[in-house]
Amino acid sequence: MAEPYLSAADMRGGYGKADILNGCTLTVERGQIAVIVGPNGAGKSTAMKAVFGMLNLREGSVRLAGEDITQLTPQERVRKGMGFVPQTHNIFPTMTVEENLEMGAFIRDDDFRDTMEQVYTLFPAVAEKRKQNAGELSGGQRQQVAVGRALMTRPSLLMLDEPTAGVSPIVMDELFDRIIEVARTGISILMVEQNARQALEIADIGYVLVQGANRYTDTGQALLADPEVRRTFLGG
Amino acid sequence: MDILNALVAILNFVVIPAAAYGAQLALGALGVTLIYGILRFSNFAHGDTMAFGTALVILVTWGLQALGISLGPLPTALLALPIGIALTSVLVLGVDRAVYRFYRRKRSAPIILVMASVGVMFIMNGLTRLVIGVDEIRFDDGARFLISVQQFRAWTGLSEGLSLRVSQALTLVVTALACWALFRFLNRSRAGKAMRAYSDNEDLALLSGIDPERVVRLTWLIAAALAVTAGTLYGLDKSFKVFNYFQILLPIFAASIVGGLGNPLGAVAGGFIVAFSEVAVTYPWRKIAAYLGFETDGLLQLLSTEYKFAVSFVILIVVLLFRPTGLFRGKSV
Ligand SMILES: Nc1ncnc2c1ncn2[C@@H]1O[C@H](COP(=O)(O)OP(=O)(O)O)[C@@H](O)[C@H]1O
Ligand SMILES: [Mg+2]
């Protein structure tokens, strides 16, 4: 079997002396959706930062498309095809929607108008507000701008940290539909979600993270069917 | 009742001087607010950067005058201004390398950078005194008036006179051009947008591949250009004295905070708000009241001019108490 597109293996590390990640492993196949769920403070965001190079790893490695990128800076990883939407502060609030997308494409020297049109096609609601400041939009639309910004580099791996945090259930469903659409274009998705049930529904592979380590790893459907996982993490 | 004469007096003694002064404050406040937005500290050395740059402009002006070069009716200082800006930029970039970069790398708290800038202020102040001395210097040559009182009286037949000095008109024109260029740069160019992005969300700017050191350098360059321009216009309009440039820091800070720190449009508005308040409060309104039919014995002056800086203080306190983010929603202080 070929190596997975993203393979972050046995990651250990944290912000100071104590490790937050205790041997966490995450893999994503090309064009698939991987979902990380787990209790608050489990280290889900930390694991995302580690994969993106915003955290020094004491142990473990990150490989993308067969290449070891453990030592690369986040900016270098963007050039390698990673796009990251942080959990908070993921837009430029006093800049227009259009300028947010332009800044997403900052490292591109070629014409990126096509990509911008693709983002607008994917998110028609923000397309209508392209001249408005991103900070004035609703929560759901802001998340769409944030995802759109990350898509502007045409990443092959899109990392989303709680993209549906604080949005209504309808907007959440809509966002999930868009994420599935993105995955269908061949982009791999690595996503952290609080709405574990709904997220696992669309997950090709799911990780239940507890105290910085993998507790359960299986397909989304299998995790949803597992009585143990249901009882402890999905509320019955 | 003599409304025309009253209007002319208001224009002559309040509107024109306050507009010129406001434009000078606006240019200064723009520099302060840009530094605050990008480097995240209030730069106490800004007033002395203005003084240092103006001193260089004066030296170059003297040089040009010695060579017999002039701009006709316009002050020669205008020709010296680009050279003054270039030299000041070198100094300011050097200071950033030697002082601020160290604290930036350490991700020091803003108050530490503020304190460092107080140190820089003292050094720049000393440097300026060393270069040009402490005396008052007038360096406006060329024509003095665009409209003189006699001309105005002859044209209009009014008893009240109105004058518009070249330095005042120049201040307004140069400020308008500088603001137009700056806002165009910030809103249209890739580098300008990168500056705004960095000011909005530093971490996300980094993730987007924006180079912070480039943004910082660019910010210093623009701030230096604005500071030297503001200082030169202020010196042409009033006169050059090192100490005055230290004092003007207060109204400049007031202007940038009123407008909302980090918000360039707010800085411009703030400059005019502070200037008009200061002039209106320290101007004796008796003459104008008399034209409007109110004869009084008092001067109708709210505050004598020695206390003009109190106006900035009051404005600062009121804004900080009731709207800490400023009128245009900048960053909270
Ligand atoms: N910047 C940081 N500095 C120090 N500790 C942090 C930082 N961010 C998160 N932590 C700690 O790391 C642990 C995991 O946090 P996080 O990865 O954000 O959890 P999750 O995203 O799963 O809710 C928590 O105990 C949190 O307090
Ligand atoms: Mg989190």
Side-chain angles (χ1 to χ4, degrees):
Chain A
M1 195 182 119
E3 190 180 3
Y5 184 63
L6 171 81
S7 159
D10 297 319
M11 297 187 292
R12 286 173 197 279
Y15 301 96
K17 287 205 185 91
D19 281 352
I20 304 288
L21 300 178
N22 301 299
C24 166
T25 294
L26 303 165
T27 63
V28 192
E29 300 285 346
R30 221 176 260 279
Q32 292 210 330
I33 299 178
V35 170
I36 309 173
V37 298
N40 255 328
K44 305 182 296 294
S45 294
T46 307
M48 295 289 264
K49 288 183 201 162
V51 171
F52 197 62
M54 293 165 75
L55 190 82
N56 285 328
L57 283 181
R58 214 164 42 71
E59 264 179 52
S61 67
V62 182
R63 299 172 66 82
L64 187 74
E67 186 187 347
D68 191 329
I69 58 165
T70 316
Q71 301 305 326
L72 297 190
T73 62
Q75 288 86 334
E76 289 166 331
R77 292 181 204 215
V78 171
R79 287 177 199 274
K80 294 281 179 196
M82 285 185 162
F84 182 36
V85 181
Q87 184 173 349
T88 54
H89 300 104
N90 49 23
I91 54 164
F92 300 110
T94 73
M95 301 180 81
T96 65
V97 169
E98 187 129 325
E99 286 171 336
N100 266 271
L101 298 185
E102 271 176 56
M103 289 299 107
F106 194 81
I107 57 166
R108 283 180 64 177
D109 296 319
D110 57 338
D111 188 355
F112 52 76
R113 272 174 300 185
D114 280 3
T115 319
M116 199 179 270
E117 279 317 311
Q118 283 162 12
V119 170
Y120 284 145
T121 317
L122 187 64
F123 301 120
V126 300
E128 285 168 27
K129 312 207 158 162
R130 57 180 85 188
K131 296 292 174 208
Q132 253 188 52
N133 281 359
E136 294 164 4
L137 304 184
S138 68
Q141 288 168 349
R142 279 216 289 254
Q143 290 295 8
Q144 297 183 8
V145 173
V147 174
R149 187 205 61 86
L151 285 173
M152 286 305 290
T153 46
R154 283 180 301 187
S156 44
L157 171 71
L158 182 62
M159 299 170 52
L160 308 164
D161 195 347
E162 299 201 16
T164 64
V167 307
S168 69
I170 297 170
V171 175
M172 180 183 79
D173 285 344
E174 159 102 25
L175 268 170
F176 279 157
D177 283 347
R178 293 291 99 80
I179 290 165
I180 295 171
E181 250 180 80
V182 171
R184 288 224 181 93
T185 65
I187 297 177
S188 312
I189 309 269
L190 177 61
M191 168 165 83
V192 172
E193 257 305 324
Q194 278 288 318
N195 302 298
R197 230 171 242 282
Q198 292 88 339
L200 288 175
E201 296 270 358
I202 64 164
D204 295 298
I205 184 165
Y207 297 93
V208 180
L209 214 63
V210 179
Q211 291 181 349
N214 299 50
R215 176 69 58 91
Y216 300 97
T217 305
D218 213 325
T219 63
Q221 293 307 327
L223 287 175
L224 282 170
D226 187 328
E228 184 71 16
V229 174
R230 291 171 68 104
R231 194 167 49 77
T232 32
F233 298 104
L234 305 176
Chain B
M1 279 288 272
D2 193 346
I3 289 180
L4 268 180
N5 275 319
L7 271 178
V8 170
I10 290 180
L11 265 179
N12 190 38
F13 294 107
V14 178
V15 175
I16 292 176
Y21 179 45
Q24 290 147 11
L25 291 185
L27 286 180
L30 269 175
V32 168
T33 225
L34 284 177
I35 299 282
Y36 187 90
I38 303 292
L39 290 114
R40 317 210 187 274
F41 73 96
S42 306
N43 181 18
F44 273 69
H46 200 74
D48 282 290
T49 307
M50 286 168 62
F52 179 81
T54 311
L56 292 178
V57 167
I58 294 174
L59 291 178
V60 176
T61 302
W62 287 342
L64 290 171
Q65 285 168 342
L67 293 171
I69 301 171
S70 83
L71 270 180
L74 292 174
T76 314
L78 219 47
L79 213 54
L81 184 59
I83 304 171
I85 288 175
L87 293 173
T88 309
S89 300
V90 172
L91 177 86
V92 161
L93 288 178
V95 168
D96 181 69
R97 279 218 131 176
V99 181
Y100 300 120
R101 192 169 68 169
F102 172 77
Y103 296 107
R104 195 158 58 240
R105 294 245 160 107
K106 279 182 44 177
R107 290 186 163 254
S108 298
I111 187 66
I112 293 179
L113 283 146
V114 169
M115 286 298 127
S117 83
V118 172
V120 171
M121 172 184 86
F122 284 125
I123 291 179
M124 277 208 178
N125 191 284
L127 207 61
T128 313
R129 284 161 197 252
L130 212 63
V131 166
I132 205 156
V134 295
D135 296 332
E136 185 162 346
I137 300 169
R138 294 219 61 103
F139 60 104
D140 55 335
D141 52 3
R144 195 155 157 64
F145 289 103
L146 207 61
I147 303 170
S148 73
V149 171
Q150 293 85 344
Q151 277 175 331
F152 183 82
R153 287 214 183 99
W155 289 338
T156 59
L158 289 171
S159 61
E160 192 60 43
L162 180 141
S163 74
L164 179 63
R165 277 182 284 127
V166 171
S167 62
Q168 292 169 327
L170 197 64
T171 293
L172 292 172
V173 172
V174 170
T175 304
L177 285 176
C179 288
W180 175 80
L182 178 69
F183 285 109
R184 214 181 146 81
F185 171 78
L186 288 176
N187 290 324
R188 302 275 182 89
S189 76
R190 203 171 108 95
K193 285 178 192 173
M195 274 177 68
R196 282 167 53 218
Y198 188 86
S199 163
D200 250 15
N201 188 337
E202 189 178 333
D203 292 329
L204 198 61
L206 278 173
L207 295 188
S208 307
I210 293 168
D211 177 0
E213 286 301 312
R214 272 192 64 176
V215 169
V216 166
R217 275 200 301 275
L218 194 60
T219 308
W220 280 119
L221 285 178
I222 296 173
L226 290 167
V228 182
T229 308
T232 302
L233 293 172
Y234 182 76
L236 284 172
D237 190 22
K238 309 266 180 0
S239 70
F240 176 81
K241 202 164 176 231
V242 182
F243 187 62
N244 289 348
Y245 284 77
F246 164 73
Q247 287 196 321
I248 203 183
L249 196 60
L250 178 64
I252 284 178
F253 272 20
S256 46
I257 292 170
V258 169
L261 270 172
N263 183 328
L265 205 60
V268 176
F272 287 102
I273 291 173
V274 170
F276 272 87
S277 317
E278 204 176 280
V279 174
V281 170
T282 53
Y283 177 70
W285 291 86
R286 177 167 64 177
K287 178 156 77 173
I288 290 163
Y291 279 132
L292 297 175
F294 305 103
E295 293 290 349
T296 54
D297 292 332
L299 279 172
L300 292 184
Q301 184 183 24
L302 286 172
L303 217 57
S304 88
T305 42
E306 292 94 83
Y307 293 112
K308 61 178 179 188
F309 289 115
V311 178
S312 298
F313 262 123
V314 170
I315 292 177
L316 258 182
I317 289 165
V318 169
V319 168
L320 290 179
L321 276 181
F322 296 105
R323 205 175 157 100
T325 53
L327 299 179
F328 288 74
R329 294 261 176 86
K331 299 181 167 74
S332 174
V333 189

